[in-house]
Amino acid sequence: MSGLEDEGVGRLTMRWCTGWEGGPASWQPQAGRPVTALGETWTAGWPESQVRTAGAGVVVLAAIGVCGASDRQLEEALPVVRAQRWRALTRWPGSYLVVARSGSTLAVIGDLSGQHPVYYRREAAGTWWATSATALAALDGAPADPVALAAHLAFGQPDVLASRSLFRTVNRVPTGHLLQITPEGARTDRYEPAEYEPVSLREAAPTVRAALAEAVAVRMDGRPVSADLAGLDSTTLACLAARHRPVTAVTFADERLRDDDLAYAQRTVAVVPQLRHHKVPGSQETVYYAGLNDASALPFTDTPNAFAVSAAVKRTVLDAVIIHQTAPGVHLTGVAGDGLLSASSSYLADLLRERQRPRAWQHAQGHARLRQTSVWSVLGRARPAARIGLADGWRQAAAELREAPRQWVPQSRRPIAWTPLLATAAWMSTDVRHQLADALTATADELTEPPARLATWTDSQDLARIGADTSGWRTLALDEHGIDIAAPYLDNEVRRACLAVPADQRGTPGRYKPLLAEAFAGTDVLPAFVLERATKGGFNALSYAGLVQHAPALRRLLGPSSRLGAMGLVTDGPVGAMLARAAAGQATAQGALHVAVVTEVWLRQLEHAGARWEVTGRVAAA
């Protein structure tokens, strides 16, 4: 990024918002639209129907995005704004950003899953905020922060370095926090509890059902509706949408996947009349990592976008949607359903810490059967994390970073950890590893309000990462197809309803996604055979096929001329060895390669991201 005047060649199709507190602004976003009654606040790329305000003067409320509140409800919420009860403004269905003014205080409240992130930077005269970190960095050409990038690559947990963004001088508001700007300055405040009061599976079921139904209904805005029809999560959304209107349902059915998604989809459409089903076949080119040799072929996203790797698959699905619809519309995806409706075995560490030994033993037996291993092996992986908290988990990871890189073994064979190190951590230079260790230790020393349960922390971080990735996918879909991606499982109220159920109930090994079964059993929303399904498709075959097919291109991408290499974030030997394994069809650190590739692509795009700002009319006139 080379500053405000750089024209660049990047395709900037992102939707974002920004604002300035501190007197007249010198800059405004290109093609920005002022937000009514909020002074120096703008949106860029957002349709007018998704930018709504209420109030004027010292009490103002704006909801930007898909918000289920009616205009009357926004007006009725003004006393809530005046009283600064900020969390109440995040309880409507949908996915949206809130900007609220109460007297001299401005609150900027993103969502809980990172689809509407909030960043800020302090200046002598005031504070800039935005939902785009790259935009704030472009104000003065602030460079990427190598240590923050190292954390992004090594951990995959967005909140590990607290308020540190991927750019120097740009701060990030952590998950569950809001930005509050007053005449005294800017600070972040927690608005969401770190832990929820536990609710049983059965008690939560009606709330989950209602939250999902409202999340889908709020997207029924008159545009054509399409939906993935594959696993249990996406099928639920498609069936909910079909209660409102006809739905173009698509199933990606590549022969290499060898799953039963298509069979279940065909059974479902036979009994749900409003689903118009289309099979989407794959091809030799429909694999992961296709087309990444040309970074300009993808739209620029605000953070490294995991869906860049699977863009060929996503394009193929959306191409099919466009063919069968009269106009671009809303496409429902079940992304994040896995994280909400089930749970990884990491909750075993919580059961051991809380001395629930009989339950831990019972669940470990179930996980051992699924993995065809011993119960002692399962419990052995959980015990180390059961003995420490989050801060000590970070110190432990920092100690490992200061040692020589470990030999790679699959993550499933390593002990459960609060913040496990990905294989990418072993590819970094010694200096970068030590800098990252120092930053992690400092963050551990400053940690306040740590979550008590490992599963709570893991769930939160997984959803924040998925939310950021989904925002990138939305940018791709809007840029190339004009389609709006909707991910209802990431909505605040859906998330709250699901995560109130303890992980050991959502992830019990004896039942597949029992929370969804409880929520929709006995209703006419889903066919009974869908709720009884115990299988799940996956894209590993296409990932490995792409690694083999595009190994030479990936070798060039991550080779001596890579931007990651120039910063010491990858070194040639280890990453080359991993790519050689991939090319030979051997077991590979797929997740690590995935994140390294998309970060390299993003850094190359960043060099040509283009201008984001222009001088305001008042400054130009002066």
Side-chain angles (χ1 to χ4, degrees), residues 267-289:
R267 290 181 67 187
T268 301
V269 298
V271 295
V272 181
Q274 295 242 76
L275 293 179
R276 311 287 191 258
H277 186 235
H278 304 281
K279 173 185 173 182
V280 183
S283 68
Q284 188 66 28
E285 290 73 36
T286 315
V287 293
Y288 282 29
Y289 303 101

Side-chain angles (χ1 to χ4, degrees), residues 14-306:
M14 289 188 300
R15 292 172 173 173
W16 61 291
C17 317
T18 188
W20 164 256
E21 290 290 299
S26 301
W27 301 95
Q28 63 187 27
Q30 285 190 346
R33 183 182 293 120
V35 177
T36 303
L38 272 172
E40 310 282 21
T41 301
W42 302 266
T43 63
W46 282 100
E48 288 188 53
S49 62
Q50 294 185 15
V51 181
R52 296 187 298 139
T53 59
V58 296
V59 181
V60 184
L61 169 63
I64 302 165
V66 178
C67 178
S70 65
D71 290 344
R72 179 176 178 178
Q73 285 175 311
L74 290 180
E75 290 286 347
E76 290 173 346
L78 291 175
V80 176
V81 175
R82 185 178 289 107
Q84 300 188 13
R85 300 202 309 272
W86 306 124
R87 187 172 186 263
L89 305 175
T90 69
R91 304 301 303 262
W92 294 304
S95 177
Y96 54 92
L97 176 82
V98 168
V99 186
R101 184 178 301 284
S102 176
S104 60
T105 298
L106 184 81
V108 186
I109 314 169
D111 68 316
L112 294 172
S113 297
Q115 293 196 93
H116 302 275
V118 180
Y119 303 92
Y120 65 103
R121 58 182 297 167
R122 302 181 181 94
E123 297 188 0
T127 301
W128 278 105
W129 66 265
T131 56
S132 166
T134 55
L136 291 187
L139 281 165
D140 63 357
D145 180 346
V147 175
L149 279 169
H152 172 78
L153 290 165
F155 305 135
Q157 295 184 337
D159 289 321
V160 168
L161 294 190
S163 62
R164 203 161 176 168
S165 82
L166 296 183
F167 296 94
R168 293 173 180 167
T169 76
V170 177
N171 301 294
R172 172 182 173 272
V173 177
T175 302
H177 291 67
L178 58 86
L179 176 65
Q180 189 160 290
I181 306 174
T182 68
E184 288 71 45
R187 71 172 192 268
T188 61
D189 292 324
R190 176 175 284 282
Y191 73 88
E192 190 72 7
E195 305 265 1
Y196 294 120
E197 287 294 320
V199 179
S200 74
L201 201 73
R202 183 159 295 177
E203 289 176 299
T207 307
V208 170
R209 181 171 64 248
L212 270 175
E214 289 182 331
V216 171
V218 77
R219 269 85 180 187
M220 303 294 108
D221 57 6
R223 291 179 291 171
V225 178
S226 59
D228 295 327
L229 191 64
L232 183 55
D233 311 333
S234 61
T235 299
T236 301
L237 301 180
C239 290
L240 283 168
R243 296 169 70 84
H244 296 271
R245 59 184 304 146
V247 175
T248 301
V250 288
T251 304
F252 183 74
D254 191 291
E255 292 180 357
R256 292 164 289 189
L257 296 181
R258 300 182 185 279
D259 59 30
D260 54 2
D261 282 355
L262 181 60
Y264 272 95
Q266 290 170 334
R267 290 181 67 187
T268 301
V269 298
V271 295
V272 181
Q274 295 242 76
L275 293 179
R276 311 287 191 258
H277 186 235
H278 304 281
K279 173 185 173 182
V280 183
S283 68
Q284 188 66 28
E285 290 73 36
T286 315
V287 293
Y288 282 29
Y289 303 101
L292 294 183
N293 54 320
D294 180 8
S296 66
L298 291 166
F300 179 69
T301 54
D302 197 56
T303 57
N305 173 24

Side-chain angles (χ1 to χ4, degrees), residues 171-541:
N171 301 294
R172 172 182 173 272
V173 177
T175 302
H177 291 67
L178 58 86
L179 176 65
Q180 189 160 290
I181 306 174
T182 68
E184 288 71 45
R187 71 172 192 268
T188 61
D189 292 324
R190 176 175 284 282
Y191 73 88
E192 190 72 7
E195 305 265 1
Y196 294 120
E197 287 294 320
V199 179
S200 74
L201 201 73
R202 183 159 295 177
E203 289 176 299
T207 307
V208 170
R209 181 171 64 248
L212 270 175
E214 289 182 331
V216 171
V218 77
R219 269 85 180 187
M220 303 294 108
D221 57 6
R223 291 179 291 171
V225 178
S226 59
D228 295 327
L229 191 64
L232 183 55
D233 311 333
S234 61
T235 299
T236 301
L237 301 180
C239 290
L240 283 168
R243 296 169 70 84
H244 296 271
R245 59 184 304 146
V247 175
T248 301
V250 288
T251 304
F252 183 74
D254 191 291
E255 292 180 357
R256 292 164 289 189
L257 296 181
R258 300 182 185 279
D259 59 30
D260 54 2
D261 282 355
L262 181 60
Y264 272 95
Q266 290 170 334
R267 290 181 67 187
T268 301
V269 298
V271 295
V272 181
Q274 295 242 76
L275 293 179
R276 311 287 191 258
H277 186 235
H278 304 281
K279 173 185 173 182
V280 183
S283 68
Q284 188 66 28
E285 290 73 36
T286 315
V287 293
Y288 282 29
Y289 303 101
L292 294 183
N293 54 320
D294 180 8
S296 66
L298 291 166
F300 179 69
T301 54
D302 197 56
T303 57
N305 173 24
F307 286 105
V309 161
S310 56
V313 178
K314 300 301 180 188
R315 284 190 182 106
T316 301
V317 171
L318 296 180
D319 284 345
V321 169
I322 288 294
I323 288 171
H324 295 101
Q325 286 187 337
T326 56
V330 180
H331 184 77
L332 297 167
T333 172
V335 69
D338 285 340
L340 289 177
L341 302 170
S342 57
S344 73
S345 59
S346 63
Y347 71 82
L348 292 172
D350 297 322
L351 294 179
L352 291 174
R353 180 185 300 104
E354 294 162 3
R355 302 185 184 280
Q356 298 186 49
R357 294 189 179 93
R359 189 165 179 80
W361 176 263
Q362 177 190 15
H363 279 245
Q365 285 180 311
H367 286 289
R369 282 193 296 271
L370 289 174
R371 298 184 180 188
Q372 298 182 321
T373 187
S374 73
V375 66
W376 299 111
S377 173
V378 171
L379 289 172
R381 289 187 63 233
R383 281 197 182 95
R387 299 185 179 116
I388 60 175
L390 180 58
D392 283 338
W394 287 349
R395 294 185 184 101
Q396 197 173 76
E400 189 172 345
L401 284 166
R402 292 189 179 100
E403 298 172 355
R406 55 179 167 82
Q407 185 177 2
W408 177 74
V409 295
Q411 201 70 46
S412 60
R413 286 164 46 191
R414 286 179 53 80
I416 290 170
W418 285 85
T419 299
L421 290 181
L422 301 178
T424 34
W427 304 345
M428 298 173 184
S429 69
T430 300
D431 182 53
V432 168
R433 285 170 63 89
H434 287 181
Q435 289 182 51
L436 181 56
D438 292 344
L440 190 56
T441 301
T443 307
D445 293 341
E446 297 167 0
L447 182 65
T448 59
E449 299 181 284
R453 293 183 176 89
L454 187 153
T456 300
W457 165 256
T458 301
D459 288 341
S460 173
Q461 296 309 295
D462 286 349
L463 290 169
R465 185 184 67 251
I466 292 169
D469 289 339
T470 303
S471 292
W473 179 14
R474 184 174 294 108
T475 298
L476 187 151
L478 283 169
D479 178 85
E480 298 185 356
H481 295 84
I483 289 175
D484 207 347
I485 298 294
Y489 288 105
L490 289 170
D491 287 7
N492 286 349
E493 288 298 273
V494 175
R495 171 189 168 126
R496 286 168 173 142
C498 294
L499 293 187
V501 179
D504 61 294
Q505 294 186 45
R506 287 182 284 119
T508 178
R511 297 176 66 189
Y512 183 64
K513 298 189 176 175
L515 180 54
L516 204 59
E518 288 283 346
F520 288 97
T523 70
D524 60 352
V525 176
L526 287 166
F529 63 81
V530 173
L531 292 175
E532 292 164 2
R533 184 178 177 182
T535 57
K536 174 180 171 56
F539 287 82
N540 275 352

